[in-house]
Amino acid sequence: MATSDRHRRGPGRTGAGGRVLGYLGSTRNITGCVLALTGLAAHFLGLAGTLWPLVVAGLYGAGALLAPPEPARAAVSLAGAGPGALRTELDALRRRVAGSGLPADVAARVEGLTGLLEGMLGRAEALAASPDHLHVVSQTIRDYLPASLDAYAALPRSYAMERRDGDGRSPHEELLDQLDLLDGGLREIARAVHRGDEQALRDQGRFLRDRFGRSELDL
C-alpha cells in the first residue's frame, strides 16, 4: 500500500515540497526578505534610483548569504529508540539484574532506576516531545546503566567491597555513587515528563473543590 500511494503522488514530489517549505521558513530566507523589503522601502522613498530591482535582489542575496546557518537539531528516530522498543530492552535489563546476585543495596537502587524509567516510558508522547530527554533515557537503558553494572559484575565480590587507596572508596561505593548520579538525572527528566500529569491533577482538584466545596455541601 505504501508503494502504490507513493506512486500516485509521483516520485520526489513530497521531498521537493518539503525542501521548499523548509527554505521558506529558514533564517536565510527571512533575513534576505527583510533586507529586500528595506531596499523596496528605499525605492518608494526615492533613494534607490532606476536600478531599484537590482538593489532589492542584491539585498536579498546578501541577506541569504550572510545569515547564520540553521541551528543543528538533534534527530532522534522513534523507530529505533521509541518508548516501545526501549521498554522491551528495559525488561531484558531487569531480567539480567534479577539473576545477577547483586548486593541488596545495589539491587534496590537499580530497581528504583528501572521504576523511574518505566514510568517515563509509560508517558511516551510527553517523553518523545523532548529529543534530549528521550536520548538520555535511551542511553541510560542501553549504555549508562548496563556499563556500570557490567564493570562491577566483572570484579570478585570480596575485591569490590575492599577500600582502595586514593579517594578511599571501594568499587562497591563507586558503583553506588554512579547509581545515585543516574537517579538524580532521571528524576529531573521525570519531573519534566510528568509535569502535565501533575498539572492535570491540580486542575482536577480545583474543579472538585469548586464543585463539592463546603458551601455546596452545607446546602
Side-chain angles (χ1 to χ4, degrees):
M1 292 179 65
T3 303
S4 60
D5 189 44
R6 185 167 59 249
H7 178 73
R8 286 195 299 269
R9 289 196 302 263
R13 184 177 302 174
T14 301
R19 287 193 295 271
V20 171
L21 291 176
Y23 179 75
L24 290 177
S26 68
T27 303
R28 294 183 182 278
N29 182 55
I30 292 172
T31 304
C33 288
V34 169
L35 290 182
L37 288 174
T38 302
L40 193 60
H43 163 65
F44 287 121
L45 293 174
L47 302 177
T50 58
L51 298 178
W52 67 268
L54 295 178
V55 172
V56 171
L59 287 172
Y60 175 86
L65 289 174
L66 298 177
E70 294 294 316
R73 292 185 175 89
V76 178
S77 172
L78 296 185
L86 291 175
R87 188 177 291 105
T88 300
E89 295 187 39
L90 179 61
D91 290 341
L93 178 60
R94 271 180 157 164
R95 288 193 295 271
R96 281 178 52 197
V97 170
S100 62
L102 290 171
D105 53 353
V106 173
R109 280 175 167 81
V110 173
E111 182 60 29
L113 287 172
T114 55
L116 280 173
L117 292 164
E118 185 176 36
M120 288 186 282
L121 293 176
R123 303 297 295 146
E125 188 172 323
L127 180 60
S130 173
D132 290 339
H133 291 166
L134 181 58
H135 176 73
V136 172
V137 169
S138 170
Q139 288 298 99
T140 299
I141 295 172
R142 294 174 168 176
D143 182 17
Y144 303 152
L145 183 54
S148 294
L149 296 177
D150 288 345
Y152 179 81
L155 297 170
R157 182 61 54 83
S158 59
Y159 184 92
M161 294 294 182
E162 294 176 1
R163 289 190 176 273
R164 298 287 173 265
D165 295 333
D167 61 9
R169 291 190 303 175
S170 66
H172 182 80
E173 291 167 329
E174 171 63 29
L175 175 62
L176 293 178
D177 185 56
Q178 292 179 20
L179 297 178
D180 286 343
L181 289 172
L182 286 173
D183 182 82
L186 289 177
R187 286 187 185 278
E188 289 187 11
I189 295 176
R191 282 193 288 271
V193 169
H194 294 295
R195 189 169 292 130
D197 302 321
E198 181 181 356
Q199 186 59 48
L201 179 62
R202 294 183 185 279
D203 292 342
Q204 177 69 359
R206 280 193 292 268
F207 164 75
L208 292 176
R209 284 188 288 273
D210 292 341
R211 181 67 179 83
F212 301 107
R214 183 175 298 277
S215 60
E216 292 193 12
L217 294 176
D218 289 340
L219 294 177

